[in-house]
């Protein structure tokens, strides 16, 4: 019997080797056929593993690491052995090298090269890897640089003690050690072709096929309306080394409670609530919508999601609501909102024992997340007339609270019930030098410190900046990036990809070129006449209106783009976007999606310039994480 099993195993092994040889031959043929094509077509699907240093792809880890050792002087297995790296250390090593290569920096000596080709020419044998091990102590290298980097899930099978690792696998310990892993898009620096003919043809969302990945969990956790189990399928679609994939798949789900505790805990600070209530644009918009639309509020059942101090609930009660259900996840603020309702005679007693002759009101405060509301109070489905919430974050979608509001809408709002606000729109425009810190550093008490300003602008291109932009500093028109109908939108439409076309402003340019240093995003929310029939209103965070606590979200280009009107006499030989050939239009493709890091968002920015004579130039995509 044992002999037969051995024969069967040997036959299977030989068949597998033959299949692998056939796969290698197919790969070589496909590479030969496709090497001159611009994007390689669809024949690279089976080549999972991308080289750490170049664009070569391989069907196995061994082949890739042999290539890295022989071509790029990087001996992955040798370094692992020399440094005694475990799975996590090896995971970090891959991400460390990829991050250095993305920055055109030598992973071994740290020398910065001018181009990717210069880096290829510079690579050399490592003289001392001990310094590298010190760098690997930084947990930031647990964050994969590439989305779905197959290499991270497969090298574990090459460990000499693989069997031992499999038998002693402790998922809880791994989750604890990993913390929160954020999977970002790989910004390779390749130019992105934006087709001008199809640019504005279709504005539907494309994030599922585009730039940003969502959080994942193997436990099917739903939080903020987001199903954290759905992304695991993308991991499990690769059958190799499923156990290694579990290391990543469970991380975000395990981390959600910790993030939520910190998030709701931050709202226990009265300073935050003072800032929000003192924001006159914000508070007056809600006050007007609630108090000046009697046909909507009189006798209505209102749900306030994320009530904080309860200010919106107080407005609703004052306007004549028959019942106000105020939901607050912060334990401290739920107690504060309850006391405020009592102090103003608007709290609703739940039992006779709690009755108070001075508290005959309509407000009941529930301490819970809205997703867990059923565990705290019984509310009939579709029994709420009005759903009100001040859910907006920076760049509208930061904090991911909209998903919670949509969850409440779909569960408790009556058909045709009112959403306050009921619309939201994100706008985009280009800003000039005045929107940067350059003018400040150019003259500091009569001294030129512009070298600092240039470095500050370069650093700003790596992160989104929350700040106020003066409308005088805008050098393009404003365009609508994305609009949401909060009464009808689907929860997955929170993540989107959209395009916009910006044109240089002509009113103050006299057909001269000026520099566009980046784009600024802001939002409006509308309390429209659909529900607010007597007094519709708009809450705007625009540079053209008084400032709010949201400010604007600034995305700085790596390279300023020169812009001018279409009447500018451009030089045919100059690159588009330079002073000699400024762009008359800037084409944008922007993706915004919930990040793997809970309650954060990722923003992908793709930019192209079009000259007055129709020539086009694209710049490398930029990825911003708003945390």
């Amino acid at each position: 019997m044992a002999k037969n099993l051995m024969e069967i195993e040997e036959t299977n092994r030989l068949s597998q080797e033959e299949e692998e040889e056939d796969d290698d031959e197919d790969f070589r043929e496909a590479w030969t056929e496709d090497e001159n094509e611009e994007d390689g077509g669809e024949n690279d699907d089976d080549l999972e593993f991308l080289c750490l240093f170049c664009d070569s792809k391989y069907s196995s880890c061994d082949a890739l690491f042999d290539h890295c050792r022989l071509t790029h002087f990087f001996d992955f297995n040798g370094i692992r052995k020399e440094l005694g790296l475990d799975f996590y250390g090896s995971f970090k090593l891959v991400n460390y090298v990829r991050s250095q290569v993305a920055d055109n920096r030598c992973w071994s000596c740290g020398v910065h090269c001018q181009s990717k080709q210069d880096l290829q020419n510079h690579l050399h044998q490592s003289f001392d890897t001990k310094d590298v091990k010190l760098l690997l102590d930084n947990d930031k290298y647990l964050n994969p640089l590439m989305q779905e980097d197959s290499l991270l899930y497969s090298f574990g099978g090459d460990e000499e003690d693989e069997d031992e690792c499999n038998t002693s696998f402790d998922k809880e310990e791994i989750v604890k050690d990993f913390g929160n892993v954020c999977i970002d898009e790989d910004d390779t620096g390749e130019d992105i072709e934006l087709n001008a003919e199809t640019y504005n043809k279709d504005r539907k969302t494309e994030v599922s096929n585009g730039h940003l990945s969502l959080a994942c969990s193997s436990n099917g956790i739903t939080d903020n309306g987001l199903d954290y189990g759905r992304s695991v399928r993308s991991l499990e679609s690769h059958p190799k080394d499923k156990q290694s994939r579990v290391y990543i798949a469970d991380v975000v789900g395990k981390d959600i409670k910790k993030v939520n505790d910190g998030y709701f805990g931050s709202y226990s600070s009265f300073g935050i609530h003072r800032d929000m209530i003192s924001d006159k644009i914000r508070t007056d918009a809600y006050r007007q919508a609630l108090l000046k639309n009697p046909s909507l509020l009189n006798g209505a059942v209102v749900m306030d999601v994320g009530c904080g101090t309860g200010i919106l609930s107080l407005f609703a009660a004052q306007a004549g609501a028959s019942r106000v259900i105020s939901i607050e996840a912060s334990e401290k603020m739920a107690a504060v909102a309850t006391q405020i309702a009592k102090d103003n005679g608007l709290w609703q007693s739940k039992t006779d024992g709690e009755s108070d002759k001075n508290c005959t009101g309509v407000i009941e405060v529930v301490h819970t997340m809205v997703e867990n509301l059923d565990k705290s109070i019984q509310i009939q489905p579709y029994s709420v007339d009005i759903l009100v919430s001040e859910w907006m974050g920076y760049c509208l979608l930061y904090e991911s609270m909209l998903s919670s509001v949509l969850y409440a809408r779909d569960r408790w709002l009556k058909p045709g019930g009112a959403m306050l606000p009921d619309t939201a729109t994100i706008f985009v425009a280009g800003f000039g030098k005045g929107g940067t810190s350059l003018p400040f550093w150019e003259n500091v008490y009569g001294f030129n410190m512009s070298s600092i300003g240039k470095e500050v602008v370069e650093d700003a291109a790596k992160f989104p900046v929350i700040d106020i932009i003066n409308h005088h500093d805008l050098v393009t028109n404003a365009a609508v990036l994305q609009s949401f109908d909060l009464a009808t939108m689907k929860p997955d439409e929170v993540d989107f990809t959209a395009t916009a076309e910006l044109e240089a402003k002509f009113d103050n340019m006299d057909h001269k070129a000026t520099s566009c240093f980046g784009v600024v995003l802001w939002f409006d929310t509308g309390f429209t006449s659909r529900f607010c029939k007597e007094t519709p209103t708009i809450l705007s965070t625009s540079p053209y209106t008084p400032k709010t606590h949201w400010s604007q979200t600034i995305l700085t280009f790596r390279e300023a783009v020169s812009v001018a009107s279409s009447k500018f006499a451009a030089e045919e030989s100059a690159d588009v976007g330079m002073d000699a050939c400024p762009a008359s239009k800037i084409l944008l493709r922007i993706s915004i999606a919930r990040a793997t890091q809970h309650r954060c968002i990722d923003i992908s920015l793709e930019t192209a310039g079009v000259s007055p004579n129709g020539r086009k130039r694209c710049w490398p995509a930029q990825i911003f994480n708003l945390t």
Side-chain angles (χ1 to χ4, degrees), residues 55-353:
D55 296 329
S56 300
K57 292 183 179 180
Y58 293 88
S59 57
S60 72
C61 286
D62 290 340
L64 184 147
F65 290 139
D66 284 343
H67 162 77
C68 289
R69 177 173 54 84
L70 298 172
T71 305
H72 304 301
F73 307 101
F74 177 75
D75 184 0
F76 177 78
N77 292 319
I79 293 171
R80 288 182 73 188
K81 186 175 182 180
E82 180 181 350
L83 299 180
L85 299 179
D86 58 8
F87 173 82
Y88 308 114
S90 304
F91 191 99
K92 290 180 179 180
L93 177 61
V94 172
N95 289 319
Y96 166 72
V97 173
R98 288 208 189 278
S99 68
Q100 297 302 292
V101 171
D103 195 33
N104 290 330
R105 193 178 297 277
C106 178
W107 71 274
S108 175
C109 68
V111 169
H112 187 269
C113 300
Q114 294 299 313
S115 67
K116 190 173 182 179
Q117 187 57 53
D118 288 344
L119 176 62
Q120 300 294 321
N121 297 333
H122 166 82
L123 292 173
H124 54 81
Q125 292 282 0
S126 176
F127 302 115
D128 188 356
T129 57
K130 293 181 180 178
D131 291 339
V132 173
K133 187 170 185 179
L134 292 176
L135 291 171
L136 296 183
D137 289 338
N138 193 328
D139 283 346
K140 74 178 183 179
Y141 296 117
L142 286 173
N143 298 342
L145 188 74
M146 287 174 52
Q147 177 183 337
E148 295 190 10
D149 188 349
S150 302
L151 187 59
L152 295 175
Y153 313 128
S154 303
F155 65 74
D158 296 329
E159 294 180 300
E160 294 177 0
D161 55 350
E162 178 183 9
D163 293 339
E164 181 181 345
C165 289
N166 287 343
T167 58
S168 62
F169 172 68
D170 186 345
K171 184 166 65 175
E172 294 297 327
E173 187 66 23
I174 287 170
V175 167
K176 181 180 72 174
D177 289 346
F178 250 90
N180 185 28
V181 176
C182 179
I183 302 176
D184 293 328
E185 171 70 359
D186 174 27
D187 181 5
T188 61
E190 297 177 358
D191 284 353
I192 297 174
E193 294 296 330
L194 306 179
N195 190 323
E197 294 181 359
T198 62
Y199 212 86
N200 291 301
K201 189 180 295 183
D202 188 358
R203 297 179 60 85
K204 63 184 179 182
T205 62
E206 301 172 7
V207 169
S208 60
N209 298 321
H211 317 283
L212 310 178
S213 62
L214 300 180
C216 53
S217 168
S218 64
N219 297 323
I221 294 174
T222 300
D223 190 56
N224 295 90
L226 179 61
D227 180 3
Y228 284 90
R230 63 182 176 182
S231 293
V232 175
R233 288 188 288 274
S234 67
L235 292 173
E236 293 180 345
S237 63
H238 301 285
K240 299 180 181 178
D241 201 4
K242 271 191 180 181
Q243 199 173 53
S244 293
R245 297 176 190 280
V246 173
Y247 298 166
I248 307 300
D250 279 349
V251 168
V252 174
K254 295 291 184 180
D255 202 45
I256 286 175
K257 185 179 185 302
K258 179 180 178 182
V259 174
N260 280 339
D261 289 345
Y263 170 71
F264 295 121
S266 70
Y267 277 92
S268 297
S269 167
F270 293 138
I272 292 176
H273 294 280
R274 176 171 179 169
D275 289 342
M276 292 189 293
I277 294 174
S278 299
D279 186 339
K280 190 173 178 60
I281 301 298
R282 164 199 181 269
T283 307
D284 278 356
Y286 278 92
R287 184 173 184 271
Q288 181 166 297
L290 290 166
L291 293 183
K292 295 188 177 182
N293 290 283
S295 66
L296 177 65
L297 269 294
N298 191 31
V301 176
V302 178
M303 180 178 286
D304 179 3
V305 179
C307 71
T309 60
I311 183 66
L312 304 187
S313 297
L314 297 172
F315 288 153
Q318 187 179 18
S322 62
R323 183 186 184 189
V324 180
I325 306 161
S326 308
I327 304 167
E328 176 53 49
S330 165
E331 182 177 4
K332 178 177 179 179
M333 292 312 300
V336 168
T338 298
Q339 187 60 50
I340 290 174
K342 288 181 177 181
D343 291 344
N344 288 274
L346 294 172
W347 180 64
Q348 182 185 58
S349 300
K350 296 180 181 178
T351 67
D352 292 338

Side-chain angles (χ1 to χ4, degrees), residues 338-394:
T338 298
Q339 187 60 50
I340 290 174
K342 288 181 177 181
D343 291 344
N344 288 274
L346 294 172
W347 180 64
Q348 182 185 58
S349 300
K350 296 180 181 178
T351 67
D352 292 338
E354 294 177 337
S355 62
D356 187 329
K357 62 181 181 181
N358 295 321
C359 295
T360 58
V362 297
I363 296 176
E364 51 189 304
V365 180
V366 187
H367 169 224
T368 185
M369 290 176 57
V370 71
E371 290 83 1
N372 299 326
L373 183 60
D374 282 336
K375 298 177 181 178
S376 302
I377 186 174
Q378 293 300 315
I379 303 175
Q380 289 296 319
Y382 314 118
S383 61
V384 171
D385 298 300
I386 301 170
L387 183 62
V388 64
S389 179
E390 196 275 78
W391 53 265
M392 298 84 74
Y394 298 130

Side-chain angles (χ1 to χ4, degrees), residues 399-532:
E399 296 181 2
S400 299
M401 192 176 165
L402 175 56
S403 298
S404 294
V405 174
L406 298 181
Y407 178 90
R409 179 201 67 182
D410 294 340
R411 188 165 181 83
W412 291 290
L413 190 64
K414 288 180 178 179
M419 293 286 290
L420 298 180
D422 62 304
T423 65
T425 305
I426 301 177
F427 296 86
V428 61
F431 65 88
K433 186 176 180 179
T436 72
S437 62
L438 288 173
F440 172 83
W441 293 108
E442 286 176 349
N443 186 349
V444 180
Y445 290 95
F447 297 102
N448 181 2
M449 297 187 181
S450 58
S451 59
I452 296 178
K454 292 176 182 178
E455 185 170 337
V456 170
V457 171
E458 289 174 1
D459 289 341
K462 301 174 184 178
F463 309 98
V465 176
I466 307 301
D467 204 350
I468 298 292
I469 289 283
N470 191 305
H471 68 89
H472 295 298
D473 294 323
L474 299 181
V475 295
T476 75
N477 65 308
V480 172
L481 180 66
Q482 184 77 349
S483 295
F484 301 97
D485 184 336
L486 304 176
T488 62
M489 69 177 290
K490 298 177 181 178
D492 60 4
E493 292 174 354
V494 170
D495 308 311
F496 69 90
T497 297
T499 61
E501 180 178 301
L502 305 180
E503 294 186 356
K505 290 172 66 175
F506 306 146
D507 53 355
N508 60 353
M509 291 172 56
D510 299 326
H511 310 310
K512 295 180 180 180
T514 191
S515 293
C516 179
F517 282 80
V519 295
V520 56
L521 304 176
W522 68 87
F523 65 86
D524 289 357
T525 54
F527 303 81
T528 72
S529 58
R530 170 169 48 177
F531 301 122
C532 298

